[in-house]
């Protein structure tokens, strides 16, 4: 297929990742997790390594958060914080099983020299539900992050926040239903959102790429974009073709082991945006 648009520009990024050495599915806090179906940390680590290699290969800087035993979901660093202009809003997890991850993130940001580092008061699952999209933050409520956290994010991060409501439990975090491609464009799966939110997204992003049910179901929207390259699950073939036609470069990765925890490539990546 031929690209019909001019080449898009990549911006070098800095990402925080955490190797899934303690990865497991020991509890179920989203519909993808089934503790009776074994998950293998060795396989998860191999697949995660491919993600890290892909991100480095694209020229991005990858920083590592040390994995802690007893925190099997810690590989999903996207949930630990939201970082805008060097300002850090550390998460407050909805489920007690993940609560201690927030402290690990807080310690990492303080040790790495970020200031201010503010820990959320209301439930806030970081970039899982708060996505910086150019001038604004797109924020979801419905399953995890609370609406009060959206107001706090506007105050702490200093950007207008657009509240969206998620309605399908399979897409319990915003980054499972919507991906920011660059400052102007997004891709998303409309049925994951309440009617009023769909209307809002249509008005804000009339030229968004819309995902099919099949691509959304394989977590195709759980993608990491640098403005040109879009790292996404290999199974999302329709989305990859659409991205290519729009001038983006799809970078497929295979992470089925981490999908057993309800996560994909974007869940494993927290963008660090220094001041
Ligand atoms: N098992 C984790 C949870 O349910 C998966 C988190 C996925 N992360 C994400 N950014 N969507 O909390």
């Amino acid at each position: 297929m031929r690209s019909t648009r001019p080449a898009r520009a990549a911006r070098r990024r800095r990402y925080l990742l955490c190797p899934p050495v303690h990865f497991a599915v020991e509890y179920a806090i989203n519909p993808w997790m089934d503790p009776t179906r074994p998950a293998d940390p060795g396989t998860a680590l191999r697949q995660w390594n491919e993600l890290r290699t892909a991100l480095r290969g694209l020229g991005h800087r990858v920083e590592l958060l040390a994995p802690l035993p007893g925190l099997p979901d810690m590989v999903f660093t996207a949930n630990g914080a939201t970082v805008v202009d060097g300002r850090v809003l550390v998460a407050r997890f909805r489920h007690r099983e993940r609560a201690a991850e927030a402290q690990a993130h807080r310690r990492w940001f303080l040790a790495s020299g970020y200031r201010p580092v503010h820990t959320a008061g209301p439930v806030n699952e970081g970039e899982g539900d708060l996505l910086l999209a150019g001038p604004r933050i797109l924020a979801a409520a419905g399953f995890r992050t609370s609406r009060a956290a959206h107001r706090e994010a506007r105050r702490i991060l200093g950007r207008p926040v657009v509240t969206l409501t998620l309605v399908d439990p399979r897409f319990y975090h915003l980054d499972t239903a919507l991906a920011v491609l660059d400052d102007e464009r997004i891709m998303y799966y409309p049925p994951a959102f309440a009617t009023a939110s769909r209307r809002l997204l249509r008005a804000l992003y009339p030229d968004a790429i819309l995902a099919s049910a099949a691509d959304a179901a394989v977590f195709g929207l759980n993608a990491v974009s640098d403005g040109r390259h879009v790292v996404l699950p290999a199974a999302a073939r329709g989305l990859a073709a659409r991205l290519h036609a729009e001038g983006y470069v799809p970078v497929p990765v295979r992470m089925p082991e981490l999908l057993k925890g309800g996560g994909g490539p974007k869940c494993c990546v927290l963008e660090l945006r220094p001041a």
Side-chain angles (χ1 to χ4, degrees), residues 27 29-30 33 73 76 78-79 93 95 98 125 127-128 144 172-173 175-176 219 222 261-264 266-268:
Y27 47 80
I29 56 174
N30 70 56
M33 300 175 86
D73 272 334
F76 302 120
N79 301 126
F93 286 86
H95 301 97
R98 298 194 67 187
E125 297 208 349
E127 275 203 346
R144 300 287 180 90
Y172 57 93
H173 273 143
D175 70 358
T176 67
F219 257 38
N222 200 247
K266 165 64 196 140
C267 301
C268 300

Side-chain angles (χ1 to χ4, degrees), residues 237-271:
R237 297 226 186 74
L239 263 185
R242 269 305 299 283
L243 288 165
H244 176 77
E246 299 282 341
Y248 296 96
V249 181
V251 180
V253 291
R254 283 185 34 85
M255 316 191 74
E257 206 59 21
L258 290 159
L259 190 55
K260 293 179 181 171
K266 165 64 196 140
C267 301
C268 300
V269 176
L270 174 61
E271 184 162 353

Side-chain angles (χ1 to χ4, degrees), residues 47-115:
Q47 292 168 359
W48 175 90
N49 260 315
E50 279 171 36
L51 172 68
R52 177 172 64 164
T53 304
L55 295 171
R56 283 189 175 152
L58 295 172
H60 305 304
R61 176 150 154 206
V62 173
E63 314 238 21
L64 294 179
L65 177 66
L68 295 173
L71 294 174
D73 272 334
M74 203 170 167
V75 57
F76 302 120
T77 53
N79 301 126
T82 310
V83 189
V84 178
D85 302 329
R87 309 174 71 83
V88 183
L89 179 51
V90 175
R92 181 170 302 277
F93 286 86
R94 178 159 299 276
H95 301 97
R96 67 180 149 64
E97 291 90 339
R98 298 194 67 187
E101 293 179 43
Q103 284 108 62
H105 276 262
R106 184 180 170 81
R107 282 192 299 272
W108 187 88
F109 280 105
L110 287 172
S112 304
Y114 285 78
R115 298 291 184 279

